[in-house]
Amino acid sequence: MEDATPSRTAFRVARLRAMHQFSPQAALFRDPYAAAILGEAAPDAQELEQEDEHGRRMRLFVAARARLAEDWLAAAVRRGVRQVVVLGAGLDTFSLRNPYPDLAVFEVDHPATQAWKRQRIAEAGLAEPAGTAFVPVNFERQLLSEELPSAGLKPTEASFFIWLGVVPYLTREAIFGTLSYIAGIPGSEVVFDYSEPAENRDVARRATLAFRAARVASVGEPWISFFDPRALAKSLNDLGFDDIEDLESGDIAARFAGAPNAGRGNSGGHLLRARRSV
């Protein structure tokens, strides 16, 4: 992504979330602002009817990972966490839907994408949500440990970090720099998705990976980081995370009753929750 250009993959994810609201599985993840924030670019019900199998799988994964992340956030709030950081927020609408009056929200994203998102909020006739701080950060060049406290985050208090659709696009140095920062705050938790490397997959799933990787690369945002689940779990333990839950794509589908792909094989995509409990 060029410094002056908002993320095209963020736009595609937002359209999938908006399209999901028309689907038979809409109850999986309700987002009343998904279409509004897209304006004239929002999909309609007819577009859903033209959805192919690949598109349906991607839409359901995007909806399910958002639902799970917010379910885990709800559990953290019940434990007393009062800060949530949405990393690489794109057109995510949690700040507009935040049901917790005393939960401070920090939206972190590339400066170009964040400026675009704020413009979309204004053009939709929506007010920027109270209790939300917008923090422009380039993950490859700036440090969260500096930018977040400057925006008002209390650095010694536990926070919940939602980091969806971002990790594959970052270098390992940037990824583990961020994870190390989160692990340095006792009681903090992070949810992120990642993909296994091609050598971990069978022939059919390698083809799926190649298709998806080519698609994002075509808009200038290539996947550059992949992880073996066992090696990643060890690295997270070494950083200090002692409560880890790693769900493969098939497990995610199976978790929700009525998900069309429940019980089918895994694609190599994962959603992982890691917490440093002490």
Side-chain angles (χ1 to χ4, degrees), residues 95-140:
S95 61
L96 294 165
R97 298 178 287 105
N98 179 14
Y100 313 108
D102 58 348
L103 180 68
V105 180
F106 297 83
E107 282 206 14
V108 178
D109 212 337
H110 189 281
T113 298
Q114 189 166 93
W116 168 62
K117 193 244 187 83
R118 298 178 79 172
Q119 180 182 0
R120 297 302 318 130
I121 291 175
E123 291 180 359
L126 301 170
E128 289 192 352
T132 296
F134 292 92
V135 190
V137 172
N138 184 325
F139 285 99
E140 299 288 353

Side-chain angles (χ1 to χ4, degrees), residues 20-245:
H20 184 74
Q21 307 311 305
F22 296 107
S23 77
Q25 304 87 27
L28 173 64
F29 181 68
R30 298 287 189 184
D31 186 347
Y33 296 102
I37 202 169
L38 283 165
E40 293 181 357
D44 56 24
Q46 184 176 1
E47 190 168 335
L48 180 73
E49 294 174 2
Q50 300 168 352
E51 185 179 53
D52 60 17
E53 181 63 19
H54 170 74
R56 185 177 69 155
R57 285 173 178 263
M58 281 301 300
R59 173 178 57 78
L60 287 169
F61 179 74
V62 165
R65 75 182 184 186
R67 164 68 181 275
L68 277 168
E70 293 185 19
D71 284 353
W72 283 325
L73 170 62
V77 170
R78 289 193 293 271
R79 290 195 305 269
V81 173
R82 291 297 177 266
Q83 301 180 128
V84 61
V85 182
V86 186
L87 299 173
L91 293 180
D92 182 89
T93 65
F94 174 77
S95 61
L96 294 165
R97 298 178 287 105
N98 179 14
Y100 313 108
D102 58 348
L103 180 68
V105 180
F106 297 83
E107 282 206 14
V108 178
D109 212 337
H110 189 281
T113 298
Q114 189 166 93
W116 168 62
K117 193 244 187 83
R118 298 178 79 172
Q119 180 182 0
R120 297 302 318 130
I121 291 175
E123 291 180 359
L126 301 170
E128 289 192 352
T132 296
F134 292 92
V135 190
V137 172
N138 184 325
F139 285 99
E140 299 288 353
R141 301 176 187 173
Q142 295 168 275
L143 298 175
L144 286 177
S145 58
E146 296 176 358
E147 303 300 332
L148 281 172
S150 295
L153 185 90
K154 297 176 182 177
T156 59
E157 295 187 9
S159 296
F160 190 95
F161 291 78
I162 298 175
W163 201 13
L164 303 180
V166 180
V167 165
Y169 303 95
L170 301 179
T171 63
R172 285 178 172 252
E173 181 181 6
I175 294 164
F176 283 106
T178 297
L179 291 171
S180 179
Y181 164 67
I182 296 170
I185 310 170
S188 287
E189 191 167 1
V190 60
V191 175
F192 65 92
D193 54 327
Y194 73 92
S195 186
E196 293 184 48
E199 56 266 27
N200 282 28
R201 305 167 185 239
D202 60 25
V203 173
R205 290 168 191 157
R206 287 182 189 182
T208 298
L209 171 64
F211 174 83
R212 292 176 179 172
R215 189 170 186 179
V216 296
S218 70
V219 297
E221 299 174 29
W223 287 345
I224 57 178
S225 291
F226 300 87
F227 294 95
D228 175 81
R230 281 189 284 258
L232 178 58
K234 183 181 184 306
S235 296
L236 292 170
N237 285 146
D238 290 345
L239 287 174
F241 292 106
D242 57 349
D243 176 12
I244 299 172
E245 185 175 3

Side-chain angles (χ1 to χ4, degrees), residues 253-276:
R255 178 165 289 206
F256 298 104
N261 294 324
R264 295 190 183 179
N266 296 300
S267 67
H270 291 246
L271 185 68
L272 187 148
R273 177 190 62 81
R275 175 176 171 234
R276 179 179 171 183

